[in-house]
């Protein structure tokens, strides 16, 4: 455990740069990060650090929401950061995949979307094959929003949406992704105050462990 990213709650305008600099310092040591987060916005400054180090990345994004709603200008939140990341060249949307979505966005940009209905109708092996076809040998950042899981498996999150993946489905898809060129990952949006019996925390920690195994199996 490298430790927490320290930032000043009284200076919210500095949090973005604090996260970016924290991750950049780790990458400069020739390693990678598995970040355990709260708000999904943190993936944006992490991607800034990664793109500076690796160049534009493919993104594998597990979520109930696309997080690509358009928002011109500088304002950004946990529903728009991948719109900005695409527009600013941090990720290549043509070589990126979103898994488990069950909300709609009129402009999917160039992402390949394997929504929750598709996941429920196909095997984990099929899902992984589709993902590998899109990302190829590109360097990949994987972000897992815990609300990708159905609320019955992860009630402890801020924006739950019914009809999501089971924990088993998510784990099987991650395991079937062995061989991708994974360079970084995160698990976000766990809200302990909303959890029941720690089942969300347990799901998130198990997913995080499987991501470490996926990274080690490159």
């Amino acid at each position: 455990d490298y430790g927490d990213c320290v930032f000043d709650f009284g200076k919210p305008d500095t949090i973005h740069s604090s996260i970016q600099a924290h991750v950049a310092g780790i990458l400069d040591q020739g390693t990678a990060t598995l970040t355990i987060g709260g708000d999904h916005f943190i993936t944006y400054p992490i991607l800034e650090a990664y793109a500076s180090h690796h160049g534009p990345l493919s993104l594998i994004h597990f979520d109930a929401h696309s997080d690509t709603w358009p928002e011109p200008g500088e304002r950004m939140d946990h529903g728009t950061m991948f719109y900005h990341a695409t527009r600013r060249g941090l990720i290549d949307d043509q070589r990126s995949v979103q898994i488990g979505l069950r909300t709609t966005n009129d402009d999917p940009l160039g992402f390949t979307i394997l929504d929750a209905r598709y996941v429920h109708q196909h095997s984990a092996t099929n899902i992984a094959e589709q993902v590998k076809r899109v990302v190829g040998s590109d360097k990949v950042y994987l972000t897992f929003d815990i609300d990708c899981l159905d609320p019955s498996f992860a009630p402890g999150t801020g924006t739950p949406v019914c009809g999501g993946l089971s924990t088993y489905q998510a784990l099987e898809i991650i395991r079937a992704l062995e061989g991708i060129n994974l360079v970084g990952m995160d698990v976000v949006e766990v809200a302990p105050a909303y959890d029941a019996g720690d089942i969300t925390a347990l799901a998130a920690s198990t997913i995080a462990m499987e991501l470490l195994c996926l990274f080690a199996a490159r």
Side-chain angles (χ1 to χ4, degrees):
D1 184 350
Y2 189 87
D4 293 340
C5 174
V6 179
F7 50 80
D8 188 341
F9 292 96
K11 298 179 179 179
D13 56 313
T14 68
I15 293 174
H16 182 141
S17 58
S18 295
I19 296 171
Q20 191 274 338
H22 181 82
V23 174
I26 296 172
L27 298 182
D28 286 344
Q29 299 175 50
T31 186
T33 59
L34 165 62
T35 306
I36 308 298
D39 195 291
H40 206 165
F41 164 78
I42 69 166
T43 304
Y44 185 86
I46 294 171
L47 285 173
E48 283 187 315
Y50 266 86
S52 179
H53 192 84
H54 291 287
L57 300 159
S58 289
L59 185 73
I60 298 175
H61 174 206
F62 288 80
D63 207 320
H65 315 86
S66 70
D67 297 342
T68 55
W69 282 278
E71 190 166 52
E74 294 301 316
R75 188 188 180 283
M76 191 185 311
D77 61 25
H78 66 176
T80 64
M81 70 284 186
F82 293 142
Y83 169 85
H84 290 288
T86 299
R87 296 302 186 198
R88 297 175 186 175
L90 305 181
I91 55 178
D92 180 357
D93 56 330
Q94 302 293 327
R95 304 282 287 174
S96 298
V97 184
Q98 296 178 311
I99 302 169
L101 304 192
R102 45 203 187 274
T103 52
T104 58
N105 185 335
D106 291 337
D107 183 5
L109 302 177
F111 287 89
T112 296
I113 297 175
L114 306 177
D115 64 15
R117 287 183 175 181
Y118 186 93
V119 173
H120 289 311
Q121 294 167 3
H122 294 81
S123 68
T125 300
N126 176 275
I127 303 299
E129 288 173 350
Q130 299 301 320
V131 173
K132 290 178 178 179
R133 176 184 58 80
V134 175
V135 305
S137 61
D138 291 1
K139 292 182 178 180
V140 173
Y141 188 91
L142 191 155
T143 180
F144 197 107
D145 186 325
I146 203 66
D147 71 27
C148 181
L149 302 182
D150 188 80
S152 60
F153 297 93
T157 190
T159 51
V161 183
C162 291
L165 278 61
S166 70
T167 308
Y168 174 78
Q169 285 175 304
L171 293 173
E172 286 299 295
I173 294 169
I174 291 169
R175 291 162 183 158
L177 289 173
E178 182 176 344
I180 61 171
N181 188 11
L182 185 63
V183 296
M185 54 229 142
D186 63 51
V187 180
V188 296
E189 292 288 342
V190 174
Y194 301 150
D195 207 356
D198 291 334
I199 62 173
T200 312
L202 180 59
S205 62
T206 305
I207 288 166
M209 181 190 68
E210 289 293 341
L211 292 178
L212 286 175
C213 293
L214 183 63
F215 182 80
R218 294 178 304 158

